[in-house]
């Protein structure tokens, strides 16, 4: 009797163990801009690229993949921390196929935004097109694994959205005011609402395509990017307060949207992943994390270079990127990406495990 009970007990333990394994995330699927692009832009005609040195110099084997970083980007670290895989490949990269993408893929495109007008600035992939690629991906996945298994992956996978910075800094504030410019069409609050509506429609589209676990990413303190500090002549190269306030306000709207959609869409688990305060803490107290430099970036002079300019003047680049918060004038180093990813996993994404 006791023996049978022991067997029964062990069997139960085993089933709990198995269900825990199965409850793990099968894949991480990514949409957005350069914060999460792993090289899609290498395969479209645009200048928004980073598939050359010194980009990637601290990546596996020093490969410049098209990530805007000296190494990995935040979604690579998120995928790794959630036990999925150490890096997430780009959908347009022919070196990978559906057997790789079945456990994770990024449709992101550097220099894109929620707004179609933002992706037009440097002729990159608009967000609606990333969604079209995702539909194609679902077809490939069904052909590869069968309907049932593919649907299971889609509903269990973590879907990550990270965009918005470019809508403000590459488009709204950067494009000359004039007929058709967003600055002429919208107040800043109106533009935030316009973007937030697009984010809402995007989440609903993912939901209608079967996604249930979704992370909507907030904006970093974008007024602290080296490019913005360099041009802040009146403000002694401090962070641009106005841009940080816009990021905070927009984050407030996205966070409200997340609350609303969780009530509205049955079965959805939508979280708001907010990098703002963790990022601000790094910028205010860099020494706590072993950083020496926050105002300028590692690559080239660190004041304004990114993409091709970063490569052209790379003889000026720093030797140890781990001492720098920013890798180029617009993007964090791998080390910053890891800290932010760990924070977001602990504060928002751990509930998906
Ligand atoms: C994917 O690529 C691998 C390695 O190149 C190959 O062995 C495999 O057959 C491919 N799978 C599919 C489904 O195309
Ligand atoms: C963006 O462009 C796509 C394709 O032309 C269109 O379907 C979509 O409505 C546009 N989005 C907005 C917000 O205008």
């Amino acid at each position: 009797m006791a023996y049978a009970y022991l067997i029964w007990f062990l069997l139960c333990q085993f089933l709990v163990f198995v269900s825990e394994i199965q409850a793990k995330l099968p894949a991480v699927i990514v949409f957005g801009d350069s914060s999460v692009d792993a090289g899609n832009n290498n395969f479209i005609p645009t200048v928004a690229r980073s598939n050359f040195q010194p980009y990637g110099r601290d990546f596996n084997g020093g490969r410049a993949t098209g990530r805007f970083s000296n190494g990995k980007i935040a979604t690579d670290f998120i995928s790794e921390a959630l036990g999925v895989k150490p890096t997430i490949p780009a959908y347009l990269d022919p070196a990978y196929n559906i057997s790789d993408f079945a456990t994770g893929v990024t449709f992101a495109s550097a220099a894109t935004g929620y707004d179609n007008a933002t992706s037009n600035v440097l002729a990159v992939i608009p967000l609606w097109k990333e969604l079209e690629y995702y539909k194609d991906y679902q077809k490939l996945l069904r052909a590869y694994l069968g309907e049932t298994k593919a649907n299971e992956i889609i509903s269990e996978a973590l879907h990550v959205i990270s965009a918005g910075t470019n809508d403000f800094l590459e488009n709204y504030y950067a494009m000359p005011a004039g007929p058709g410019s967003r600055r002429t069409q919208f107040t800043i609050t109106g533009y935030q609402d316009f973007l937030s509506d697009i984010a809402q429609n995007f989440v609903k589209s993912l939901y209608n395509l079967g996604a249930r676990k979704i992370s909507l990413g907030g904006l970093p303190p974008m007024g602290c990017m080296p490019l913005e500090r360099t041009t802040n002549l009146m403000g002694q190269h401090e962070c641009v307060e106005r841009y940080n306030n816009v990021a905070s306000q927009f984050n407030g709207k996205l966070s409200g949207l997340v609350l609303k959609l969780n009530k509205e869409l049955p079965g959805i688990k939508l979280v708001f992943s907010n990098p703002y305060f963790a990022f601000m803490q790094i910028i205010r107290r860099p020494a706590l994390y072993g950083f020496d430099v926050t105002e300028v970036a590692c690559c080239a002079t660190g004041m304004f270079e990114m993409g091709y300019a970063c490569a052209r003047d790379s003889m000026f680049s720093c030797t140890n990127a781990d001492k720098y918060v920013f890798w180029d004038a617009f993007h964090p180093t791998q080390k910053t990406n890891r800290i932010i990813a760990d924070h977001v996993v602990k504060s928002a994404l751990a509930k998906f495990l």
Side-chain angles (χ1 to χ4, degrees), residues 75-129:
T75 31
D76 294 323
F77 288 118
I78 287 171
S79 169
E80 188 169 40
L82 296 175
V84 181
K85 58 180 176 181
T87 56
I88 299 181
Y91 184 63
L92 298 184
D93 189 337
Y96 301 94
N97 63 28
I98 191 63
S99 69
D100 306 295
F101 299 147
T103 52
V105 58
T106 175
F107 302 98
S109 175
T112 202
Y114 286 112
D115 184 358
N116 287 336
T118 304
S119 49
N120 288 343
V121 175
L122 293 175
V124 297
I125 305 167
L127 208 57
W128 65 264
K129 179 80 180 171

Side-chain angles (χ1 to χ4, degrees), residues 257-285:
L257 175 63
V258 164
L259 285 175
K260 171 177 170 278
L261 291 178
N262 272 312
K263 291 193 192 117
E264 225 173 275
L265 304 173
I268 198 172
K269 278 196 201 161
L270 177 62
V271 299
F272 179 56
S273 292
N274 191 355
Y276 190 96
F277 300 105
F279 211 127
M280 207 60 193
Q281 167 79 352
I282 294 172
I283 288 162
R284 292 213 179 108
R285 310 287 302 279

Side-chain angles (χ1 to χ4, degrees), residues 47-55 68 227 297-317 327-330:
V47 296
R49 288 226 184 127
S50 60
N51 55 339
F52 35 74
Q53 292 297 319
Y55 286 95
F68 278 78
L227 182 67
C298 172
C299 103
T301 68
M303 293 191 288
F304 53 85
E305 296 92 342
M306 61 182 129
Y308 287 107
C310 193
R312 190 185 57 222
D313 293 330
S314 65
M315 68 275 203
F316 298 117
S317 293
W327 164 248
D328 70 14
F330 218 70

Side-chain angles (χ1 to χ4, degrees), residues 116-152:
N116 287 336
T118 304
S119 49
N120 288 343
V121 175
L122 293 175
V124 297
I125 305 167
L127 208 57
W128 65 264
K129 179 80 180 171
E130 292 187 24
L131 197 67
E132 292 301 309
Y133 283 134
Y134 179 52
K135 291 177 191 165
D136 295 342
Y137 163 79
Q138 290 201 343
K139 286 192 197 122
L140 289 173
L141 195 66
R142 294 196 167 99
Y144 177 57
L145 294 174
E147 192 81 12
T148 311
K149 182 74 187 149
N151 290 347
E152 187 184 310

Side-chain angles (χ1 to χ4, degrees), residues 84-328:
V84 181
K85 58 180 176 181
T87 56
I88 299 181
Y91 184 63
L92 298 184
D93 189 337
Y96 301 94
N97 63 28
I98 191 63
S99 69
D100 306 295
F101 299 147
T103 52
V105 58
T106 175
F107 302 98
S109 175
T112 202
Y114 286 112
D115 184 358
N116 287 336
T118 304
S119 49
N120 288 343
V121 175
L122 293 175
V124 297
I125 305 167
L127 208 57
W128 65 264
K129 179 80 180 171
E130 292 187 24
L131 197 67
E132 292 301 309
Y133 283 134
Y134 179 52
K135 291 177 191 165
D136 295 342
Y137 163 79
Q138 290 201 343
K139 286 192 197 122
L140 289 173
L141 195 66
R142 294 196 167 99
Y144 177 57
L145 294 174
E147 192 81 12
T148 311
K149 182 74 187 149
N151 290 347
E152 187 184 310
I153 289 180
I154 290 159
S155 67
E156 289 296 319
L158 173 62
H159 294 68
V160 177
I161 308 163
S162 176
T165 305
N166 296 322
D167 293 305
F168 297 103
L169 297 186
E170 182 194 334
N171 182 6
Y172 190 88
Y173 288 114
M175 296 312 277
S181 84
R182 292 308 194 199
R183 218 165 354 137
T184 310
Q185 291 173 314
F186 294 103
T187 63
I188 188 63
T189 309
Y191 192 55
Q192 289 172 339
D193 291 336
F194 173 72
L195 299 179
S196 172
D197 281 349
I198 298 171
Q200 163 159 255
N201 289 336
F202 193 78
V203 170
K204 285 184 176 169
S205 301
L206 291 180
Y207 179 84
N208 290 333
L209 288 165
R212 289 297 177 269
K213 299 176 175 178
I214 304 176
S215 159
L216 186 60
L219 299 192
M222 59 190 184
C224 296
M225 288 171 174
L227 182 67
E228 310 312 325
R229 291 179 84 140
T230 299
T231 47
N232 189 13
L233 301 174
M234 302 301 286
Q236 280 83 46
H237 303 299
E238 289 298 319
C239 298
V240 181
E241 198 88 21
R242 179 167 68 141
Y243 293 161
N244 283 352
N245 291 339
V246 168
S248 292
Q249 283 158 9
F250 187 58
N251 285 347
K253 288 182 195 282
L254 292 183
S255 156
L257 175 63
V258 164
L259 285 175
K260 171 177 170 278
L261 291 178
N262 272 312
K263 291 193 192 117
E264 225 173 275
L265 304 173
I268 198 172
K269 278 196 201 161
L270 177 62
V271 299
F272 179 56
S273 292
N274 191 355
Y276 190 96
F277 300 105
F279 211 127
M280 207 60 193
Q281 167 79 352
I282 294 172
I283 288 162
R284 292 213 179 108
R285 310 287 302 279
L288 286 181
Y289 306 88
F291 291 116
D292 291 341
V293 185
T294 57
E295 307 80 24
V296 295
C298 172
C299 103
T301 68
M303 293 191 288
F304 53 85
E305 296 92 342
M306 61 182 129
Y308 287 107
C310 193
R312 190 185 57 222
D313 293 330
S314 65
M315 68 275 203
F316 298 117
S317 293
C318 78
T319 49
N320 182 3
D322 284 352
K323 295 289 175 192
Y324 284 69
V325 176
F326 289 95
W327 164 248
D328 70 14

